[in-house]
Amino acid sequence: MQTGAEVLFRLITFVLNAFILRFLSKEIVGIVNVRLTLLYSTTVFLAREAFRRACLSGGAQRDWNQTFNLLWLTVPLGMFWSLLLGWVWLQLLEVPDPNAVPHYGSGVVLFGLSAVVELLGEPFWVLAQAQMFVKLKVIAESLSVIFKSVLTAFLVLWSPHWGLYIFSLAQLFYTAVLVLCYVIYFTKLLGSSESTKQQTLPVSRMTDMLPSITRSRAFVNWKEAKLTWSFFKQSFLKQILTEGERYVMTFLNVLNFGDQGVYDIVNNLGSLVARLIFQPIEESFYIFFAKVLERGKDATLQKQEDMAVAATVLESLLKLALLAGLTITVFGFAYSQLALDIYGGVMLSSGSGPVLLRSYCLYVLLLAINGVTECFTFAAMSKEEVDRYNFTMLALSSSFLVLSYLLTQWCGSVGFILANCFNMGIRITQSLCFIHRYYRKSPHRPLAGLCLSPALLGAFALSGGITGISEVLLCCEQGWPARLAHIAVGALCLGMTVGTAFLTETRLIHFVRTQLGVSRLADKTL
């Protein structure tokens, strides 16, 4: 779960980004958020992901000098990827108009350099993770993001003619602050002999983390090196699938730079709900299901009381996810344009922005349901079933790239969201089939959670109709009094819908109250 400091840092960054957007063109946003960010993330991922996974898998009795030697290899590897990809970005990809997006070449160089700078902190990051220094990671990343946003806002106001220099320098500053946070922390920690943390570390001074060569042992642990190579082959494909949309946009030119910028902003806004609400619920209840159910064991062989509890919780979670998703979908349709206008001004609220956000609201509904169904599925499946499921996910992810290209050719940037919806629909169907088979021989029917009462469905339909009419009459060209009236209409409709849910979904309300009570009790005992 997120701490109060993390939420505060996210809120400050959110406000700063909203402020910055009002002074930028769509083309610059597209180049920075898609083209240059993809260069940076690809360089960093290919240079370090496999090393991180291999070095964090090592045991407590490892030779840390060999591990540090292996981790320092990420720096020359990062230089190689930065030079290679930088050449691709400059020579093979479409170069933006220098009048609309000045200093593109410098931006490519500085974003590549920032990736190499971040790799300088890799040994410190791995040691911090191995020692469970969670607060260090949170503080370092939060401070870096805030300083980056503040510097960007300052430069956008005082030197807007700098173009991509602004974002390139801010990115370089971000990585420098991130690395310095780790260096300063370990310098102070290792310099304090009284520290209990210092006594548990495998190093006693900063120089122990630098590369070292001795004749008594190999330069690196070859077992870790081979494991790194194995992870690299997996991570290469994972990166392509993770950043699939950006690769399609960058290499296939399916969207112009302006549409790329709007899509990326809307995608980040839409995913906020999933990251802040649905993801914590999914992670928490995955642990619950994994403890209650014995993995890979048939439902008839499980303890019946555990089966009943798991079915009740799953039913309530499905209904909660469905209600939350429907609320976002129904009300998001009528308030997308207003939300984008408040967040980013005319740049976002005109053109394709509102249509994109409305489409994303439907995707959020599917995300909510999929999060619940998959957290149960992965907790109950056997290892062999999980392996087969992952193979299917790999095939689906690969087909997503093809489908997204075809759909964007047909309906523009909305095609990416439609491809995601199709992909998520297949995943939900697979999970629902597993849950149905799992409970088939038991008296429990948790999938009933996907059924709502006619009264509640009617409330959603009525709210959608009223807010849709309200948007046409009141939003968004008639000034703030009309906008506030539109918001008031939405608040009344939301109140009516929530009130109907309280009257018709009494079991769900009891479940939510129980969970809130448990959460408060846990907070008091910490």
Side-chain angles (χ1 to χ4, degrees):
M1 297 295 287
Q2 293 183 334
T3 64
E6 287 180 275
V7 174
L8 178 62
F9 283 137
R10 283 181 180 272
L11 180 61
I12 294 173
T13 306
F14 182 82
V15 173
L16 285 172
N17 288 339
F19 172 77
I20 292 168
L21 283 175
R22 298 180 180 276
F23 299 91
L24 302 176
S25 67
K26 293 187 288 187
E27 288 73 21
I28 285 185
V29 173
I31 289 293
V32 173
N33 287 7
V34 178
R35 176 74 68 87
L36 295 182
T37 300
L38 183 63
L39 169 65
Y40 161 79
S41 64
T42 303
T43 301
V44 168
F45 191 94
L46 294 178
R48 80 181 181 193
E49 179 69 13
F51 288 85
R52 281 187 171 184
R53 294 177 65 185
C55 293
L56 287 174
S57 301
Q61 303 304 317
R62 79 174 91 187
D63 186 331
W64 272 96
N65 287 324
Q66 290 181 324
T67 299
F68 290 137
N69 288 342
L70 184 63
L71 287 169
W72 280 110
L73 293 178
T74 60
V75 177
L77 187 60
M79 292 178 180
F80 166 77
W81 284 116
S82 179
L83 291 172
L84 177 62
L85 295 174
W87 178 82
V88 172
W89 258 241
L90 289 172
Q91 301 298 324
L92 301 184
L93 298 181
E94 177 190 357
V95 176
D97 181 4
N99 295 321
V101 185
H103 313 301
Y104 172 73
S106 300
V108 170
V109 172
L110 290 175
F111 265 79
L113 178 61
S114 70
V116 176
V117 170
E118 183 166 343
L119 295 172
L120 293 172
E122 204 56 23
F124 306 98
W125 187 92
V126 169
L127 181 59
Q129 290 297 106
Q131 298 296 316
M132 302 295 290
F133 294 166
V134 179
K135 288 185 178 180
L136 171 61
K137 179 176 180 291
V138 171
I139 292 173
E141 292 181 356
S142 300
L143 286 177
S144 302
V145 171
I146 286 183
F147 284 147
K148 173 185 173 181
S149 300
V150 170
L151 179 61
T152 303
F154 176 79
L155 293 177
V156 163
L157 281 177
W158 292 99
S159 301
H161 59 281
W162 281 18
L164 291 184
Y165 275 134
I166 295 173
F167 303 94
S168 304
L169 293 174
Q171 180 67 23
L172 193 58
F173 185 66
Y174 160 80
T175 55
V177 171
L178 186 63
V179 173
L180 280 175
C181 285
Y182 283 95
V183 172
I184 292 171
Y185 179 84
F186 279 107
T187 300
K188 288 189 174 183
L189 184 62
L190 294 173
S192 174
S193 57
E194 294 83 12
S195 174
T196 56
K197 288 184 177 180
Q198 191 271 346
Q199 297 171 8
T200 63
L201 291 176
V203 294
S204 57
R205 55 185 184 274
M206 290 293 289
T207 54
D208 291 342
M209 285 187 270
L210 296 176
S212 59
I213 301 176
T214 60
R215 296 181 179 179
S216 59
R217 63 175 183 271
F219 181 70
V220 298
N221 183 325
W222 288 107
K223 183 179 179 180
E224 282 185 341
K226 291 177 180 177
L227 187 59
T228 301
W229 173 244
S230 298
F231 281 134
F232 176 78
K233 290 183 288 186
Q234 298 175 17
S235 64
F236 190 83
L237 180 61
K238 178 184 175 183
Q239 172 65 6
I240 294 175
L241 298 177
T242 302
E243 300 277 14
E245 296 169 358
R246 285 194 172 113
Y247 284 117
V248 171
M249 282 188 265
T250 299
F251 287 94
L252 299 180
N253 296 323
V254 293
L255 302 176
N256 60 47
F257 295 123
D259 287 342
Q260 289 180 25
V262 173
Y263 173 80
D264 187 78
I265 295 170
V266 171
N267 185 52
N268 289 334
L269 276 176
S271 63
L272 271 178
V273 176
R275 292 198 303 268
L276 297 179
I277 300 177
F278 299 139
Q279 187 177 349
I281 292 175
E282 179 183 345
E283 292 172 351
S284 299
F285 282 95
Y286 169 78
I287 297 172
F288 168 80
F289 289 129
K291 288 183 177 180
V292 170
L293 303 174
E294 293 187 48
R295 179 180 295 278
K297 206 171 186 180
D298 189 80
T300 56
L301 303 177
Q302 302 272 2
K303 294 181 180 178
Q304 291 308 302
E305 57 269 26
D306 291 342
M307 285 288 293
V309 170
T312 301
V313 171
L314 178 57
E315 181 180 349
S316 298
L317 283 178
L318 285 173
K319 186 152 291 186
L320 182 63
L322 181 60
L323 283 176
L326 274 177
T327 302
I328 292 169
T329 301
V330 170
F331 288 91
F333 188 87
Y335 289 88
S336 291
Q337 185 176 359
L338 179 60
L340 290 176
D341 192 67
I342 293 173
Y343 180 71
V346 179
M347 182 188 75
L348 292 182
S349 62
S350 61
S352 62
V355 177
L356 278 172
L357 190 54
R358 287 172 184 139
S359 303
Y360 207 98
C361 289
L362 173 61
Y363 180 52
V364 168
L365 169 61
L366 298 178
L367 276 176
I369 297 173
N370 181 70
V372 173
T373 56
E374 281 197 348
C375 85
F376 177 87
T377 299
F378 284 132
M381 277 181 170
S382 65
K383 182 181 181 301
E384 293 74 19
E385 288 174 318
V386 171
D387 291 338
R388 288 197 299 270
Y389 193 90
N390 287 334
F391 181 79
T392 305
M393 291 303 99
L394 181 63
L396 279 175
S397 299
S398 302
S399 65
F400 162 76
L401 298 179
V402 177
L403 185 61
S404 61
Y405 172 74
L406 296 175
L407 288 175
T408 49
Q409 294 291 326
W410 174 48
C411 54
S413 51
V414 177
F416 282 116
I417 299 177
L418 295 179
N420 275 313
C421 288
F422 176 80
N423 193 22
M424 200 59 61
I426 298 295
R427 291 170 62 175
I428 291 172
T429 302
Q430 286 190 302
S431 297
L432 291 179
C433 289
F434 174 84
I435 295 170
H436 174 72
R437 290 195 305 269
Y438 190 82
Y439 279 101
R440 183 174 49 193
K441 297 179 181 179
S442 76
H444 310 292
R445 296 293 178 265
L447 294 183
L450 293 175
C451 298
L452 298 179
S453 66
L456 187 53
L457 289 174
F460 274 118
L462 184 61
S463 296
I466 292 174
T467 53
I469 295 171
S470 173
E471 182 184 31
V472 173
L473 298 177
L474 301 174
C475 189
C476 289
E477 307 295 337
Q478 303 180 42
W480 271 104
R483 293 182 180 187
L484 292 174
H486 180 46
I487 293 173
V489 170
L492 289 174
C493 290
L494 180 61
M496 175 193 68
T497 305
V498 172
T500 306
F502 265 89
L503 294 174
T504 59
E505 304 294 343
T506 53
R507 290 181 60 186
L508 176 62
I509 301 304
H510 175 71
F511 171 78
V512 172
R513 285 175 174 169
T514 303
Q515 291 302 313
L516 289 176
V518 171
S519 177
R520 288 170 184 165
L521 182 61
D523 291 339
K524 290 179 180 179
T525 57
L526 290 176

